[in-house]
């Protein structure tokens, strides 16, 4: 009996020791934080947990820094100061880079993407406790001077077409921050990672030897997927009418505005864009949502290295020819 | 020879037991999800875990945040926010979280809700774009 007990005990001890002492090999570290008004999740793969943790901390810190710079909700941010400035404004390299990219997409989309809708968004106050449906007169005033040419760049200086123009980078800043966070992970030597800011996703490398599988939320069926995409080294962003909205007299008023009418854009339920960077994908998703399925798809098809999936307001799916779906 | 005396006392049953244990240890290394325990829901506020529960036990939980009380319902192996003091109620619209890795958040009330464990239930994707 002593022999049997001894052998069993020994084996169990060896098994337990091997179990816990086995080097973990490549591991995934995942952390979340509430930044830029949304839940941000950063995942990174690597052998060195300390390196992963340090890189993720720096990535979150960068996103927090960019929020303080680019948010129109923070009164002391550079964007708020630009909005309040009547004269030429000297801006940081990040703001200049972002406005430059936004201007290109604004022009390419014939103004469907617009960074000067700050006054209109404040008027609707969709993200506040007291959203409202403004009058046509109020909307007309809020739209004065907006458009692709409303912001002019000259080196590190920004000029507004009208002194009262309110700048809002809500359709591009989150994607830009995601890109910057991913760049910091890459600079730290990490080769496989993801940054997901409330659905604005940027991917570095693959997911432990296979492409990342990105689920796309169905715009009308909570908890159901519209599609799953297999992607590596790409960014994917979705814009929809289904998360930030209020209802009045049975009508849903959401947060993506058509600069032509000042009303919530009505031609789509959701748009998902795959691009090389999240800032471009973010702005293009907004532009395609405003343009609607036909013009939106044309815009996405014209651009190299960009794919998209559009759900029209009648539920019909439109997608670019090269969309890499896994199902 | 005294060192190996125990081997002489091994019965056929002992040898079978030894073989089974060795096989179990070997198989355990092949299983990538060896810590696959029952799923749990974790709630964090400001980076600290303030509540954990088994996802198998149906219940309603009141979670205190800076804006007030967010009510989390755990039912049918899923967690969802059913009441929140935040202005836009996006957290309610996020629906259910039931698979390991699923996340819910109420940003204004500073609450993050995540599902951990039970990794055998694949959700079919790594990240969700919404």
């Amino acid at each position: 009996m002593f022999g049997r007990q001894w052998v069993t005990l020994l084996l169990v001890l060896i098994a337990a020791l091997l179990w816990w002492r086995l080097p973990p090999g490549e591991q995934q570290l995942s952390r979340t934080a509430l930044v830029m008004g949304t839940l941000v999740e950063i995942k990174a793969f690597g052998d060195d947990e300390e390196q992963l943790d340090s890189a993720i901390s720096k990535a979150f810190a960068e996103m927090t820094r960019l929020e303080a710079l680019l948010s129109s909700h923070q009164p002391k941010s550079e964007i708020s100061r630009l909005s309040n400035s009547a004269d030429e404004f000297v801006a940081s390299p990040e703001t200049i880079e972002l406005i430059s990219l936004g201007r290109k997409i604004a022009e390419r989309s014939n103004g469907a993407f617009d960074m000067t809708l700050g006054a209109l968004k404040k008027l609707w106050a969709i993200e506040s406790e007291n959203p409202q449906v403004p009058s046509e007169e109020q909307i007309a005033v809020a739209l004065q001077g907006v458009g692709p040419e409303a912001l002019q760049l000259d080196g590190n200086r920004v000029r507004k077409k009208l002194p009262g123009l309110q700048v809002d980078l809500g359709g591009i800043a989150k994607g830009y921050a995601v890109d910057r966070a991913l760049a910091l992970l890459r600079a730290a030597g990490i080769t496989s990672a993801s940054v997901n800011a409330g659905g604005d996703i940027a991917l570095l490398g693959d997911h432990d030897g296979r492409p990342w599988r990105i689920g796309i939320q169905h715009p009308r069926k909570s908890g159901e997927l519209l599609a799953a995409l297999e992607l590596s080294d790409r960014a994917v962003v979705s814009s929809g009418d289904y998360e930030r909205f209020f209802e009045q007299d049975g009508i849903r008023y959401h947060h993506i505005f058509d600069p032509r009418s000042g009303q919530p854009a009505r031609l789509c339920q959701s748009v998902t864009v795959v691009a090389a960077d999240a800032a471009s994908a973010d702005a293009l998703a907004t532009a395609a949502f405003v343009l609607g399925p036909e013009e939106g798809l044309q815009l996405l098809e014209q651009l190299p290295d960009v794919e998209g999936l559009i759900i029209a307001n009648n539920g019909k799916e439109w997608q670019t020819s090269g969309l890499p779906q896994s199902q | 020879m005294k060192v190996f005396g125990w081997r002489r006392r091994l019965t056929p049953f002992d040898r079978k037991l030894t073989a089974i244990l060795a096989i179990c240890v070997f198989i355990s290394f092949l299983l990538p999800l060896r810590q696959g325990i029952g799923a749990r829901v974790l709630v964090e506020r400001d980076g600290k875990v303030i509540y954990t529960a088994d996802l198998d036990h149906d219940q309603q939980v009141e979670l205190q945040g800076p804006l007030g009380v967010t009510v989390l319902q755990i039912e049918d192996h899923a967690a969802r926010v059913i009441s929140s003091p935040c202005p836009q109620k996006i957290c309610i619209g996020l629906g259910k979280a039931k698979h390991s890795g699923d996340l819910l958040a109420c940003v204004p009330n500073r609450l993050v809700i995540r599902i951990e464990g039970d990794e055998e239930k694949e959700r079919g994707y790594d990240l969700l774009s919404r």
Side-chain angles (χ1 to χ4, degrees), chain A residues 25-268:
Chain A
E26 190 166 82
Q27 56 187 305
Q28 174 186 283
L29 187 63
S30 173
R31 281 174 48 194
T32 55
L34 300 176
V35 191
M36 305 193 91
T38 193
L39 176 64
V40 180
E41 182 183 32
I42 298 180
K43 294 181 178 182
F45 289 90
D47 297 328
D48 185 342
E49 189 174 345
E50 276 187 33
Q51 179 207 18
L52 297 178
D53 194 51
S54 167
I56 289 175
S57 294
K58 287 177 183 167
F60 277 130
E62 175 68 354
M63 293 187 79
T64 304
R65 184 184 75 83
L66 289 172
E67 180 181 18
L69 195 69
L70 303 172
S71 171
S72 54
H73 300 294
Q74 297 190 13
K76 292 182 180 175
S77 74
E78 191 166 77
I79 293 304
S80 293
R81 287 188 285 117
L82 171 59
S83 290
N84 294 331
S85 168
D87 304 318
E88 210 169 53
F89 185 86
V90 177
S92 65
E94 292 90 342
T95 298
I96 296 295
E97 183 184 9
L98 195 52
I99 291 178
S100 177
L101 173 65
R103 267 180 55 91
K104 287 177 189 163
I105 295 174
E107 287 168 10
R108 195 78 191 233
S109 64
N110 292 322
F113 175 71
D114 198 314
M115 296 178 290
T116 53
L117 299 181
L120 183 75
K121 291 182 179 179
K122 281 179 187 162
L123 189 60
W124 282 86
I126 296 252
E127 298 185 23
S128 75
E129 286 185 38
N130 301 303
Q132 60 159 346
V133 181
S135 68
E136 289 298 323
E137 291 75 20
Q138 288 175 307
I139 288 174
V141 171
L143 288 179
Q144 280 179 0
V146 307
E149 303 298 322
L151 296 176
Q152 297 289 335
L153 295 178
D154 180 12
N156 64 346
R157 296 170 188 277
V158 186
R159 268 196 309 274
K160 296 190 295 183
K161 190 174 169 185
L162 293 179
L165 269 177
Q166 301 285 298
V167 180
D168 186 299
L169 303 181
I172 192 169
K174 198 164 64 173
Y176 180 73
V178 165
D179 288 332
R180 294 290 297 249
L182 200 76
L184 282 182
L185 297 175
R186 186 188 290 115
I190 292 167
T191 57
S192 177
S194 66
V195 180
N196 181 0
D200 285 24
I201 297 169
L203 305 169
L204 176 60
D206 56 21
H207 181 285
D208 208 16
R210 62 163 172 79
W212 292 85
R213 294 188 190 118
I214 310 300
I216 308 299
Q217 170 73 49
H218 195 293
R220 291 291 180 268
K221 297 174 184 172
S222 178
E224 282 192 28
L225 292 189
L226 185 65
L229 310 179
E230 293 198 340
L231 302 167
S232 299
D233 282 315
R234 310 296 290 159
V236 54
V237 174
S238 295
S239 288
D241 65 0
Y242 48 89
E243 278 194 352
R244 297 182 183 206
F245 65 88
F246 72 97
E247 290 184 338
Q248 186 172 305
D249 301 327
I251 300 173
R252 176 183 291 196
Y253 298 94
H254 62 82
H255 72 299
I256 305 171
F257 294 100
D258 187 334
R260 296 165 295 192
S261 65
Q263 299 280 337
R266 295 292 182 197
L267 299 174
C268 297

Side-chain angles (χ1 to χ4, degrees), chain B residues 16-29:
Chain B
K16 284 178 189 166
L17 181 67
T18 305
I20 289 168
L21 279 168
I23 289 168
C24 287
V25 169
F26 178 74
I27 289 173
S28 72
F29 288 118

Side-chain angles (χ1 to χ4, degrees), chain B:
Chain B
M1 300 312 282
K2 189 180 176 184
V3 176
F4 300 103
W6 59 272
R7 289 180 65 181
R8 288 197 297 273
R9 290 197 291 271
L10 285 179
T11 65
F13 172 79
D14 293 331
R15 292 195 176 91
K16 284 178 189 166
L17 181 67
T18 305
I20 289 168
L21 279 168
I23 289 168
C24 287
V25 169
F26 178 74
I27 289 173
S28 72
F29 288 118
L30 301 180
L31 293 175
L33 306 172
R34 62 194 188 200
Q35 292 178 356
I37 54 174
R40 291 182 309 152
V41 56
L42 279 79
V43 181
E44 295 173 14
R45 187 179 60 221
D46 298 326
K48 291 178 182 172
V49 176
I50 60 166
Y51 179 79
T52 63
D54 194 332
L55 205 58
D56 291 332
H57 292 157
D58 291 358
Q59 59 181 306
Q60 282 190 10
V61 190
E62 294 190 354
L63 305 164
Q64 186 67 48
L67 292 186
V69 173
T70 294
V71 180
L72 181 73
Q73 183 183 61
I74 302 172
E75 191 176 71
D76 297 332
H77 310 286
R80 67 185 179 114
V81 176
I82 59 170
S83 170
S84 174
C86 60
Q88 289 189 275
K89 318 294 182 197
I90 293 174
C91 50
I92 297 174
L94 291 174
K96 294 178 180 176
K98 52 186 174 182
H99 298 128
S100 180
D102 282 354
L103 288 166
L104 303 173
C106 180
V107 177
N109 214 18
R110 314 300 295 172
L111 295 168
V112 177
I113 297 149
R114 69 170 71 247
I115 308 297
E116 286 192 350
D118 203 7
E119 311 221 16
E120 289 169 17
K121 290 181 183 174
E122 277 286 330
R123 60 179 180 172
Y125 58 85
D126 304 310
L127 301 165
L128 183 63
S129 182
R130 60 198 322 167

Side-chain angles (χ1 to χ4, degrees), chain A residues 267-286:
Chain A
L267 299 174
C268 297
Q269 294 178 1
S270 72
V271 174
T272 297
V273 172
V274 180
D277 63 278
S280 298
D282 199 0
L284 286 169
T286 302

